[in-house]
Amino acid sequence: MKIKSMTASFGKLDHARLELSHGLNILHAPNEWGKSTWCAFLISMLYGIDTRTKSSRYQLADKERFVPWSGAPMEGEIIADWKGREIAIRRTRRGSTPFGAFSAVYTDTGEAIPGMTGDNCGMML
């Protein structure tokens, strides 16, 4: 899989878009710019967010840690090349569950990718 772009409303990222080019991409920016947040976003898009985890006195659960600062719903999209075709992976809120709704489609037809679910997306890709 080759990621072409990511769009995120996730923590500090407010409908932010990151375009990636062929080859090695390096995010070089000052502290607090969002580099770690982009990494957490990618992992969450591929593997979801465990909404059963509760925050403790010492650490926030990801479902609370990455609530968009803007107040927008937590959502995102990845556009990638996979097996010779362009795909779009999207996660949005389902009710009050962050990233609870999942879709993975071929961008040229809008057809769902057979067998790909929110639970197995990361493993398939």
Side-chain angles (χ1 to χ4, degrees):
M1 174 182 76
K2 226 181 246 189
I3 298 172
K4 296 168 92 173
S5 69
M6 298 188 291
T7 306
S9 288
F10 190 82
K12 164 183 192 115
L13 308 172
D14 183 20
H15 297 89
R17 185 170 175 88
L18 181 63
E19 298 282 337
L20 301 170
S21 45
H22 293 290
L24 178 65
N25 288 264
I26 297 173
L27 299 180
H28 176 57
N31 286 341
E32 302 301 321
W33 178 82
K35 300 176 299 291
S36 297
T37 304
W38 277 115
C39 290
F41 170 75
L42 176 59
I43 292 167
S44 297
M45 286 294 290
L46 296 177
Y47 297 98
I49 291 179
D50 184 0
T51 57
R52 296 169 295 170
T53 301
K54 298 199 183 296
S55 293
S56 73
R57 180 175 164 185
Y58 304 102
Q59 185 173 359
L60 284 175
D62 286 349
K63 66 183 178 186
E64 295 172 13
R65 180 178 175 203
F66 295 111
V67 168
W69 297 0
S70 68
M74 187 185 297
E75 59 189 10
E77 177 182 68
I78 295 175
I79 303 295
D81 286 331
W82 182 60
K83 294 186 176 182
R85 293 184 73 182
E86 187 178 88
I87 63 170
I89 300 161
R90 296 181 186 99
R91 286 192 188 260
T92 58
R93 177 176 57 189
R94 178 184 294 149
S96 62
T97 305
F99 276 21
F102 173 87
S103 71
V105 299
Y106 296 109
T107 59
D108 58 349
T109 63
E111 173 188 348
I113 299 171
M116 189 174 289
T117 68
D119 292 333
N120 70 9
C121 175
M123 294 301 293
M124 282 186 73
L125 297 173

